[in-house]
Amino acid sequence: ASFSLFAFFTTMVALGIFLFLYLRDKPDLTLRYIKFYIFILFGLSLFGFYQLFHFFNYGEIIGALWDVPNQIPRIGSLFWDVNHFGGLLAAVLPVLGGLVLVGKGIPKKILYGAMFLAMTAVLVLTNSRTAWLAAGVSLGLFIVTLVYRRFKLKGLSFIALIAVILLVFLGRIYYAPESPLRSEVEVFSHHRMDSFNAHFMLLEGSIEIFDRLPVLGGGYGGFFEHFIKTSVAPDYFVTDPAAFTMRVPAHTIWGEVIAETGIVGFTVFLLFVLAILSVLAYSALKAKKSEEFILTAAMFSALFGWLVAGLFYSYNSEFFFIVLFLYFMYAVSLLKGKINYNKVISHLFKDTPVVLTLILFLGTFLFFVSLGRNHLIPWDEAIYSKVAKNMVNTGEYVVQEWVPGTAWYEKPPLYNWLAASFMRLVGIGELAARMPSAIFGLLTVVVVYFFSLKLFGKVTAFISSLALLTTMHFLYYSRAAMMDVTMSFFVILSLYLYYIGRDRKTSLYWALSGLSIGFAVMVKGAVGFLPLPIIALYEIYLLLTKQDNLSKDLLKKYFITLLYSAVVFLPWHLAMFSRFGTDFMDNYIGYHVLQRGFTAIEDKGQPFLWYLVVMRVSMRLWFVLLIPAFLYFVAKVFKNKRKYVFLLLSGLFILFFFSAASSKLVWYITPIYPIAAIVVGAFVRDAVNFVLKKSRFFDNTVSRFLIYFLMTLTIMVYFYYHKDMVYTSDLTGPPAEMLKLKDREFGVEKKVYVYNQIEKPLVMFYTDGPYEIISHSDMVRVFKSASDDAEFAFLTKSSRYSSLEEEFSRVRFVGRNREWVLGRFAKEPPPPPLLPLPPSEEFYTWEVLW
């Protein structure tokens, strides 16, 4: 198998070399081959229509046709695999659509249009979800490319806004109670769940093989031999018994590469793909003729869509490489066969939003994947989520309540307002509670990107964004229903707005910075004022170094910042003070600000430099770079480099501020991570430039790209092997599910007694009925003292439940999730009815009755 696959890939490489030598300066001939390939597929599509006609009329299957019960059959034409047929259609349809747009003459436009409609219909009839994914991604990317060429970043911003609105609209429809859309999706996808689950098992198996053999993988063609040894293999063979008769392939391009060739093969394959896609993108953006631009953009989009769909299916067949090489050769031929990758990389990374797009794509995946999978964690996450849930249920948004009927003074309400809004949109649950934090986590990365771009350029922007994305604690708390990341966003945004507006005549940016400070305060209270002393200290530095003068205009701008921040945070605080007076001030300011700052309450005391240890654990490899980066910035400070001073001053003040406080927790230091990421990014860029300039041979764009590419790959592999620090197991799932089961089985009126190993915030969020958290011995006393007509629910560990079941006959089993058991303490059953008197005592003796 290894030899066969190696021979196949070698043949494909030889084909690619031949096509390059033959077609590198012949764009018209290359396009003729592509059109010929499309016409072949059109003929196969017509045969697919005949397959369907023949099946419905004669009940016979010819060619590749899958008869799916209660569904329209899946058309595969003459392909052995329907998904391959659908994938090939998805790869040529964007180009065929381009030919419709650029076709010369009405007859050609009509012909191409008819072919496009017919082949699109057949694509739908393949019922191949991976092919649909490829086609959908291709269409979206093609539209984005067209808009970017015409309107640049403004057009992309408009598309992003439309996409967000559509997602919110569709999400509201989908998550609505008794949603007809969700019902239709579930009915449609039900018969495909076995296939869906099987593909994910193969992907999990690929990852498991990579975990065991990370460097070189299991060898070409060796996926099956290694897959059968994985933990997921038994479940896979139960799901797909047909796999017993064949050597199962990976069914995923990327999973196959990483399982069979490890990180070495993955690196080579990724560079191979990037080399092809970059030339297509460059050729499209440089094309002067609209025809050339549209066709190369369509080809680029088609291949990109194919590679995305390749996460869930493998297209390692002849047609995959033929299409890949033909599209690549069309772009090469437009460049007259001369590929200068220094120019390609410079253009793509300098004049296009490739870097930002990559960061957004990676960030969206890391922040939002399985965001609502785990249940809430006590204390803070469950408390904030319950406060937001109470807002939705009561309609009271000014006075926050954790315990219903009791004002909760601990934090301002902005985060809970946002969480409540998402709960109204997608339903009360973990996803809605965490959504604001994830969104602002991603936005923080975006701000860091633009802040770094302003200060040091695009390379630093990429490294800084990547550093923040892979900082463990920042990513973890961005995926939790907690306030620190959201507050950090407004802190770094205010500093960014201040810095870019510092030397401008207008006061607009100072005002916007003030608004951002106000929002930071409304998220987490007094700590939101962090930017104000940083700005003041920086202004003092400029005065002392005589880089600026104290003027009325400067004082006016600083006052504007204070004023606009007050406009945001004062109304709610005044409203609360007017309602609750000194009680609000004593709790909100006295306890949660002053006592937390000056005393080690709630066992939160730590040494002064403890946060350096936290940062080392959180930033991992980046912290190693942060140490020389700090020294580098100190050296720059002595040269009065203002941007280095501002960043160093910001980072040191935040570190000192939280270190000086007596109460310390891991997540308090979150605001320092955006600053630290920018510091590391600037240092890495300057260090790489310094090293490369020492060597004339390597001082070029390709060398820089390879260095940053390998650095990114190293960071992502390291992050993958430490992903459990972010993507933890569901620690509270079993008791949470049992509490929800209690409300379903008993209603919210019945009381539940909860074993005291479950913490109060978790109980309060997951059950809407009365509860009491008690020890096992107290639970036994409650059972013993219960009246005959008493009935209630209880939740305890399985070992405790067994002892209760043995001791009390009224204990009934309701449900179990791992070690947690939900039980019912039932009413005392009535005594059995007395037997009726016999009609004749002589006939019925006592022994017979007995």
Side-chain angles (χ1 to χ4, degrees):
S2 296
F3 179 81
S4 175
L5 190 60
F6 183 76
F8 168 73
F9 283 138
T10 304
T11 307
M12 289 301 103
V13 171
L15 173 64
I17 294 172
F18 168 75
L19 289 175
F20 179 83
L21 296 174
Y22 178 55
L23 298 173
R24 59 183 172 183
D25 57 353
K26 301 180 181 69
D28 294 336
L29 181 59
T30 306
L31 189 57
R32 282 175 59 192
Y33 279 120
I34 293 171
K35 289 178 181 178
F36 177 71
Y37 213 69
I38 292 173
F39 272 98
I40 292 176
L41 267 175
F42 177 62
L44 292 171
S45 300
L46 293 179
F47 181 75
F49 283 124
Y50 176 74
Q51 283 180 295
L52 203 60
F53 169 81
H54 192 85
F55 176 77
F56 282 135
N57 284 276
Y58 302 105
E60 296 177 354
I61 294 177
I62 57 173
L65 187 80
W66 290 11
D67 182 15
V68 183
N70 303 317
Q71 299 288 334
I72 298 175
R74 300 180 65 190
I75 293 178
S77 190
L78 297 179
F79 277 67
W80 179 79
D81 192 319
V82 171
N83 290 300
H84 277 199
F85 181 49
L88 186 52
L89 287 170
V92 302
L93 277 172
V95 181
L96 182 55
L99 290 173
V100 174
L101 296 175
V102 304
K104 297 176 181 179
I106 299 299
K108 281 192 175 182
K109 287 183 177 292
I110 293 175
L111 174 62
Y112 291 142
M115 291 171 62
F116 182 84
L117 293 175
M119 292 167 68
T120 301
V122 173
L123 175 63
V124 174
L125 291 172
T126 63
N127 202 0
S128 171
R129 290 162 299 175
T130 52
W132 294 351
L133 175 62
V137 171
S138 300
L139 176 62
L141 186 58
F142 183 59
I143 293 173
V144 167
T145 308
L146 292 176
V147 171
Y148 176 75
R149 182 176 172 94
R150 177 68 179 85
F151 301 103
K152 299 300 180 182
L153 288 177
K154 291 182 180 179
L156 295 184
S157 301
F158 180 74
I159 288 180
L161 179 62
I162 295 297
V164 169
I165 293 173
L166 282 175
L167 285 174
V168 171
F169 176 72
L170 292 174
R172 186 172 181 82
I173 295 175
Y174 185 82
Y175 285 102
E178 301 178 0
S179 166
L181 175 62
R182 186 168 63 217
S183 300
E184 288 295 325
V185 171
E186 289 174 353
V187 169
F188 174 78
S189 61
H190 178 71
H191 73 284
R192 303 291 309 282
M193 286 310 295
D194 285 347
S195 171
F196 183 81
N197 292 334
H199 277 70
F200 264 96
M201 289 177 189
L202 290 168
L203 188 58
E204 290 175 17
S206 301
I207 296 172
E208 192 171 329
I209 295 169
F210 171 70
D211 286 342
R212 293 206 314 263
L213 304 163
V215 181
L216 294 174
Y220 260 157
F223 174 80
F224 176 74
E225 283 74 15
H226 293 284
F227 177 74
I228 59 177
K229 301 174 185 177
T230 63
S231 60
V232 76
D235 292 333
Y236 173 80
F237 287 113
V238 171
T239 304
D240 189 5
F244 282 112
T245 63
M246 60 180 293
R247 297 179 73 255
V248 180
H251 283 82
T252 156
I253 293 176
W254 301 100
E256 183 177 280
V257 170
I258 205 164
E260 295 187 357
T261 63
I263 194 63
V264 174
F266 177 82
T267 303
V268 174
F269 181 71
L270 185 57
L271 286 171
F272 168 73
V273 168
L274 290 176
I276 290 175
L277 290 178
S278 61
V279 171
L280 274 164
Y282 177 75
S283 182
L285 295 172
K286 295 291 286 186
K288 296 180 180 179
K289 296 180 182 179
S290 60
E291 175 185 352
E292 295 174 353
F293 162 71
I294 288 174
L295 291 178
T296 48
M299 293 173 191
F300 170 78
S301 302
L303 291 183
F304 190 87
W306 226 358
L307 291 167
V308 172
L311 287 168
F312 307 104
Y313 209 80
S314 177
Y315 299 110
N316 280 343
S317 297
E318 294 85 347
F319 71 82
F320 175 87
F321 287 96
I322 291 172
V323 171
L324 192 74
F325 288 142
L326 284 176
Y327 287 179
F328 174 66
M329 287 315 305
Y330 182 71
V332 170
S333 62
L334 292 178
L335 299 173
K336 306 302 180 185
K338 298 177 181 178
I339 308 174
N340 186 331
Y341 274 104
N342 282 310
K343 290 184 178 179
V344 171
I345 295 171
S346 295
H347 182 79
L348 291 179
F349 285 89
K350 182 179 179 181
D351 299 330
T352 64
V354 170
V355 175
L356 180 59
T357 302
L358 177 62
I359 289 297
L360 287 174
F361 176 79
L362 183 62
T364 300
F365 178 81
L366 294 177
F367 284 124
F368 293 98
V369 64
S370 302
L371 184 62
R373 182 187 64 181
N374 287 357
H375 294 72
L376 299 172
I377 298 174
W379 280 66
D380 294 38
E381 191 181 33
I383 292 175
Y384 302 152
S385 302
K386 176 62 174 177
V387 173
K389 180 180 178 181
N390 286 338
M391 287 180 176
V392 175
N393 291 335
T394 65
E396 172 59 66
Y397 288 87
V398 176
V399 180
Q400 301 178 92
E401 296 179 354
W402 177 41
V403 178
T406 304
W408 183 76
Y409 301 128
E410 188 168 331
K411 295 290 186 295
L414 181 55
Y415 185 90
N416 295 326
W417 285 345
L418 296 169
S421 299
F422 279 104
M423 287 181 181
R424 294 182 66 88
L425 180 66
V426 301
I428 294 173
E430 299 83 3
L431 177 63
R434 294 171 179 147
M435 190 64 77
S437 192
I439 290 173
F440 282 105
L442 183 59
L443 290 177
T444 305
V445 174
V446 173
V447 172
V448 165
Y449 175 86
F450 283 107
F451 204 171
S452 305
L453 184 67
K454 170 71 176 176
L455 294 173
F456 303 105
K458 191 165 284 190
V459 172
T460 302
F462 171 74
I463 299 169
S464 301
S465 304
L466 181 67
L468 187 60
L469 271 176
T470 51
T471 294
M472 301 297 183
H473 289 161
F474 179 82
L475 184 56
Y476 177 84
Y477 290 110
S478 294
R479 294 173 49 83
M482 296 177 66
M483 302 175 176
D484 300 83
V485 170
T486 304
M487 186 269 295
S488 299
F489 164 77
F490 288 113
V491 168
I492 191 66
L493 178 63
S494 67
L495 293 174
Y496 169 59
L497 291 169
Y498 157 76
Y499 191 84
I500 63 176
R502 168 64 180 74
D503 297 320
R504 302 191 184 191
K505 293 182 179 180
T506 177
S507 302
L508 175 62
Y509 288 97
W510 292 74
L512 293 175
S513 179
L515 290 175
S516 188
I517 292 170
F519 286 124
V521 174
M522 284 297 291
V523 172
K524 209 179 175 189
V527 72
F529 288 116
L530 268 175
L532 287 175
I534 292 174
I535 293 172
L537 289 172
Y538 182 65
E539 292 295 338
I540 293 172
Y541 158 78
L542 294 177
L543 290 173
L544 294 177
T545 56
K546 299 181 180 179
Q547 298 182 53
D548 202 350
N549 297 315
L550 185 63
S551 62
K552 292 182 179 179
D553 184 60
L554 178 62
L555 294 174
K556 174 187 172 184
K557 289 178 178 178
Y558 200 83
F559 175 76
I560 287 174
T561 303
L562 290 171
L563 177 64
Y564 275 81
S565 67
V567 167
V568 176
F569 72 76
L570 268 182
W572 179 81
H573 288 82
L574 292 175
M576 290 295 292
F577 181 73
S578 66
R579 290 196 189 188
F580 301 101
T582 56
D583 189 36
F584 168 68
M585 296 302 294
D586 291 344
N587 282 273
Y588 179 75
I589 301 295
Y591 181 78
H592 291 293
V593 176
L594 298 179
Q595 287 194 43
R596 284 178 186 270
F598 296 104
T599 60
I601 63 172
E602 302 170 5
D603 298 323
K604 297 177 182 178
Q606 296 291 347
F608 183 82
L609 296 178
W610 181 68
Y611 280 123
L612 290 177
V613 179
V614 173
M615 291 176 66
R616 176 176 60 83
V617 173
S618 178
M619 296 184 72
R620 317 297 289 184
L621 293 178
W622 298 115
F623 189 80
V624 176
L625 294 171
L626 183 64
I627 297 171
F630 171 75
L631 299 176
Y632 177 68
F633 266 62
V634 170
K636 290 289 186 180
V637 166
F638 284 107
K639 296 180 180 179
N640 285 333
K641 299 287 187 178
R642 291 173 58 169
K643 55 188 177 184
Y644 294 92
V645 172
F646 183 71
L647 290 172
L648 192 62
L649 182 63
S650 300
L652 288 175
F653 181 83
I654 292 172
L655 179 64
F656 179 81
F657 177 84
F658 287 106
S659 298
S662 299
S663 296
K664 295 182 177 69
L665 287 172
V666 170
W667 53 86
Y668 285 177
I669 198 62
T670 302
I672 203 172
Y673 293 129
I675 301 294
I678 299 174
V679 170
V680 168
F683 170 74
V684 170
R685 184 208 62 167
D686 290 354
V688 170
N689 287 341
F690 175 79
V691 171
L692 289 181
K693 285 179 180 179
K694 295 294 183 180
S695 170
R696 292 183 179 180
F697 180 76
F698 291 105
D699 189 15
N700 55 63
T701 304
V702 172
S703 297
R704 284 177 171 79
F705 171 79
L706 289 174
I707 288 173
Y708 294 127
F709 172 82
L710 293 174
M711 183 192 73
T712 302
L713 205 60
T714 302
I715 288 294
M716 295 311 300
V717 170
Y718 182 87
F719 175 81
Y720 172 79
Y721 279 102
H722 293 82
K723 62 184 181 298
D724 290 342
M725 292 182 64
V726 176
Y727 305 98
T728 59
S729 57
D730 191 1
L731 303 175
T732 61
E737 287 300 314
M738 290 296 94
L739 287 167
K740 291 195 286 187
L741 178 63
K742 175 266 164 187
D743 281 6
R744 292 196 300 270
E745 292 291 324
F746 295 86
V748 296
E749 296 81 14
K750 291 285 185 181
K751 186 175 184 177
V752 59
Y753 288 94
V754 181
Y755 183 36
N756 62 4
Q757 285 192 6
I758 305 177
E759 294 174 298
K760 181 179 178 181
L762 202 70
V763 179
M764 290 182 64
F765 183 85
Y766 284 108
T767 179
D768 293 322
Y771 66 90
E772 186 175 342
I773 302 174
I774 57 177
S775 65
H776 178 73
S777 57
D778 289 337
M779 194 175 290
V780 171
R781 282 194 287 271
V782 169
F783 285 15
K784 287 180 178 180
S785 62
S787 60
D788 291 346
D789 61 345
E791 185 177 34
F792 48 81
F794 64 94
L795 179 59
T796 188
K797 288 285 188 72
S798 57
S799 57
R800 304 286 187 179
Y801 174 83
S802 299
S803 65
L804 292 172
E805 192 176 38
E806 291 175 3
E807 186 173 354
F808 300 99
S809 61
R810 294 166 64 181
V811 168
R812 304 286 185 271
F813 176 82
V814 177
R816 176 173 180 165
N817 194 317
R818 296 183 188 173
E819 74 275 23
W820 290 95
V821 177
L822 178 67
R824 178 196 303 270
F825 193 79
K827 295 180 180 180
E828 186 71 41
L834 296 174
L835 291 172
L837 292 173
S840 170
E841 291 186 12
E842 288 87 6
F843 186 82
Y844 290 100
T845 64
W846 170 254
E847 287 81 2
V848 171
L849 289 173
W850 179 256

